[in-house]
Amino acid sequence: MSIWRRIADAVSALRQGESLSTVFDRLRAPPERTVAFTIAVIALGAKMAKADGRVTRDEVAAFREVFRLAPEEERNAARVFDLARQDVAGYEAYARRIRAMFGAGSPTLCDLMEGLFHIALADGAYDPREDDFLARVAEIFGLPEREFRALRARFVPEGRDPYTVLGVTPEADLDEIRAAWRRQVRETHPDVMLARGVPEEAIRLAERRMQDINRAWEEIRAERAA
C-alpha cells in the first residue's frame, strides 16, 4: 500500500469526525511513522500558511516538490491541509504531539523542520511571522538553537554563513570542521533517513541538504587554503 493510500485512510478517519491530534496519536508506532511524518509536514505547513495570512500557489507547489505528489493524490493532501487550517487546535498542540511521536531532539524532527523551511521559502520571501512560527516549533521539538540557526542559514539567503550551516564556529580548526561535515553527510544518506521515518517520497530533501553542506565545506576549505 502506498503512503498516499495510507494517508487516504487517515483522511477517511478525519471525515468521520476524528481530530488530527487523535490521528497523530494513532500513528506513533514505527511502521506508520512515514505516514505521520507526511501528515505532520502538511498540517504544520497549513498552520504556518495561516500564520502569515496567505496560501500561495508556490506553497502548494512546494508540497508537490517535497513529496513527489502524484496528481491523483492531490485531493488527499489538500484535505489534510484544509482540515489543519480549520482545526481549532493551535500549531503548538500539533508540534507537541509530533514531538511525543518521534521523541524530543530526534533527527526526524530536524528533517520535518527542513520540509517546513522549504515550504516557507517557496514564494521567494521569508516573513517574520514564519520565522517566529518556525523558531517556536523548533523550540517545542527540542532542537538546539545551533541546529535551528544552521537550518535557517541554508534556506535564508541574507547573512548566509558556511560555518553556521555546518554548526561550527569560525574559530574551530579544520579537523573539527571536517568532522562536523562528515557527520552531516552520514546523517543525510537516504538509507539513514529512511530508517528514521522519512518517507521515500520526501528523500529529495536530502539532495538539497547534501548540496548545501558540501558547498559550505568547500567554501571553508578554500578560505583556509587561501
Side-chain angles (χ1 to χ4, degrees):
M1 183 184 296
S2 75
I3 187 171
W4 291 106
R5 180 63 258 174
R6 286 145 67 199
I7 287 175
D9 290 343
V11 170
S12 176
L14 293 171
R15 288 197 183 102
Q16 294 170 18
E18 290 189 17
S19 69
L20 266 173
S21 296
T22 302
V23 171
F24 281 144
D25 287 342
R26 199 168 58 246
L27 295 174
R28 295 181 65 159
E32 295 302 320
R33 285 190 177 183
T34 56
V35 178
F37 180 96
T38 306
I39 292 178
V41 174
I42 294 173
L44 283 176
K47 292 292 188 183
M48 183 169 60
K50 188 175 181 179
D52 75 359
R54 66 185 188 279
V55 179
T56 69
R57 287 186 177 183
D58 291 326
E59 287 172 325
V60 174
F63 285 116
R64 298 191 187 100
E65 290 178 12
V66 172
F67 295 108
R68 296 175 179 168
L69 188 61
E72 63 272 17
E73 303 291 0
E74 289 183 9
R75 185 169 58 181
N76 290 325
R79 177 66 175 166
V80 175
F81 190 93
D82 287 341
L83 284 166
R85 278 196 299 166
Q86 297 165 16
D87 195 342
V88 295
Y91 76 90
E92 292 181 338
Y94 278 22
R96 291 189 185 97
R97 273 182 160 75
I98 294 164
R99 178 195 62 193
M101 192 182 332
F102 292 105
S106 166
T108 307
L109 296 174
C110 191
D111 298 325
L112 200 157
M113 289 292 303
E114 190 165 11
L116 294 177
F117 265 103
H118 183 87
I119 293 164
L121 272 294
D123 60 359
Y126 189 54
D127 191 286
R129 289 167 293 184
E130 291 174 325
D131 188 63
D132 291 342
F133 178 97
L134 290 170
R136 178 58 181 147
V137 170
E139 181 183 1
I140 292 171
F141 281 177
L143 263 65
E145 176 66 20
R146 183 175 64 180
E147 287 190 25
F148 178 73
R149 289 200 307 267
L151 275 169
R152 185 166 53 194
R154 285 179 41 222
F155 283 91
V156 182
E158 292 80 12
R160 183 186 177 278
D161 173 68
Y163 293 96
T164 305
V165 169
L166 293 182
V168 297
T169 66
E171 293 74 33
D173 62 39
L174 195 60
D175 287 341
E176 181 182 347
I177 297 170
R178 182 185 290 108
W181 165 66
R182 286 177 173 170
R183 182 178 63 254
Q184 290 199 36
V185 168
R186 288 194 300 271
E187 292 174 352
T188 305
H189 191 283
D191 289 345
V192 175
M193 295 181 70
L194 288 169
R196 63 178 179 244
V198 179
E200 186 176 353
E201 291 83 352
I203 289 299
R204 67 174 56 193
L205 290 172
E207 298 170 5
R208 170 168 179 168
R209 186 190 307 176
M210 190 69 77
Q211 292 173 359
D212 290 340
I213 61 180
N214 282 339
R215 182 170 63 247
W217 165 243
E218 291 300 330
E219 288 176 1
I220 293 172
R221 192 167 65 166
E223 174 192 296
R224 297 293 178 95

